[in-house]
Amino acid sequence: MLIKLVEEVDVTEAYHSLQSPGAGGIDIFIGTVRNHAQGKEVTKLVFEAYAPMALKEMQKIARAAQQQWPIEKLVMLHAVGEKLVGEPVVIIGVASAHRDAAFTACRFLIDELKKTVPIWKKEYYQDNSVWVNAHP
Amino acid sequence: MEILLFGITREIVGSGTLKIKPEETIQTVGQLKAWLAGQYPAMGKLSSLAVAVDSEYADDDQPLQSGQEVALIPPVSGG
């Protein structure tokens, strides 16, 4: 299990740590910076984390996934700091004997991360910036 | 009591930490939230505001004691 907050998420590192002789499939989700949001052009994102708690919450989600699916290897990497359009910000990876579990667990991990892990992103546009989800 | 602040709460207060004087007699998470809403009206306008005690989400009735690490958790937006 590889769970980290990093300045640069590394797809190669994620892939290497997911390799397992018992795995018949590896699923990797990569979240990237999109160039638009709410009809506006996005120039960059800045991520901030409450690191000790974020890691704890990521570990809880990983354990919950391990209890539900037969997972050989699992990776959760999230970037902090400034990220430009196109750059990867989060990598979720699951290796499992069969692809169904890998796909389902991968989706569970990213969906839960978005709900509970104390990481915040500020979206920058040409003329202003906002903390995503902060206001109704 | 010293509170850790992140994201929009850090910007609302203008600092990464908030020191609350002992005479404010805040004893629970719920009382802390009520005090914050009174001091910083902008906090009341957030979609939600959670409090973490020793890096775990805390319920409103959880008591606050000295020595704990207390943090405000505005709506998260990772991923």
Side-chain angles (χ1 to χ4, degrees):
Chain A
M1 198 154 94
L2 179 68
I3 295 179
K4 288 201 293 191
L5 296 173
V6 288
E7 288 189 3
E8 307 278 341
V9 295
D10 183 344
V11 181
T12 308
E13 179 191 17
Y15 174 56
H16 283 307
S17 77
L18 286 164
Q19 288 175 331
S20 163
I26 293 175
D27 241 69
I28 295 180
F29 170 81
I30 305 172
T32 55
V33 180
R34 186 178 50 229
N35 67 359
H36 65 278
Q38 274 96 46
K40 295 176 83 170
E41 184 184 342
V42 172
T43 54
K44 66 175 183 183
L45 300 178
V46 174
F47 288 87
E48 177 177 331
Y50 176 19
M53 181 173 175
L55 291 169
K56 247 188 186 174
E57 290 293 321
M58 286 159 86
Q59 282 154 4
K60 278 186 205 168
I61 295 167
R63 281 198 296 275
Q66 285 172 324
Q67 282 164 10
Q68 290 182 68
W69 297 283
I71 292 172
E72 294 280 329
K73 292 282 181 70
L74 186 157
V75 167
M76 300 177 88
L77 305 176
H78 202 296
V80 289
E82 185 175 300
K83 294 291 146 196
L84 304 177
V85 171
E87 289 188 312
V89 299
V90 60
I91 299 180
I92 303 292
V94 176
S96 185
H98 301 285
R99 69 182 182 284
D100 273 356
F103 275 119
T104 314
C106 200
R107 169 137 210 162
F108 169 86
L109 291 165
I110 183 64
D111 288 352
E112 292 301 307
L113 179 146
K114 282 175 166 277
K115 285 183 215 161
T116 64
V117 176
I119 298 175
W120 299 272
K121 70 174 154 245
K122 196 171 196 190
E123 219 158 49
Y124 285 78
Y125 317 109
Q126 302 287 6
D127 51 350
N128 67 335
S129 61
V130 296
W131 288 100
V132 176
N133 295 348
H135 294 106
Chain B
M1 185 175 13
E2 194 172 276
I3 315 286
L4 302 179
L5 306 172
F6 299 94
I8 196 166
T9 60
R10 179 172 50 72
E11 287 190 357
I12 289 169
V13 174
S15 167
T17 57
L18 173 63
K19 286 195 174 68
I20 301 178
K21 296 188 181 108
E23 52 266 35
E24 299 290 347
T25 62
I26 293 165
Q27 289 170 343
T28 65
V29 166
Q31 286 171 11
L32 172 62
K33 287 183 185 173
W35 183 86
L36 287 165
Q39 295 289 312
Y40 301 96
M43 294 233 194
K45 298 195 173 90
L46 300 176
S47 308
S48 66
L49 182 62
V51 170
V53 175
D54 291 334
S55 65
E56 296 281 349
Y57 284 105
D59 293 329
D60 281 357
D61 56 5
Q62 182 161 332
L64 292 173
Q65 286 143 7
S66 62
Q68 289 171 326
E69 183 169 288
V70 180
L72 299 189
I73 312 290
V76 300
S77 51

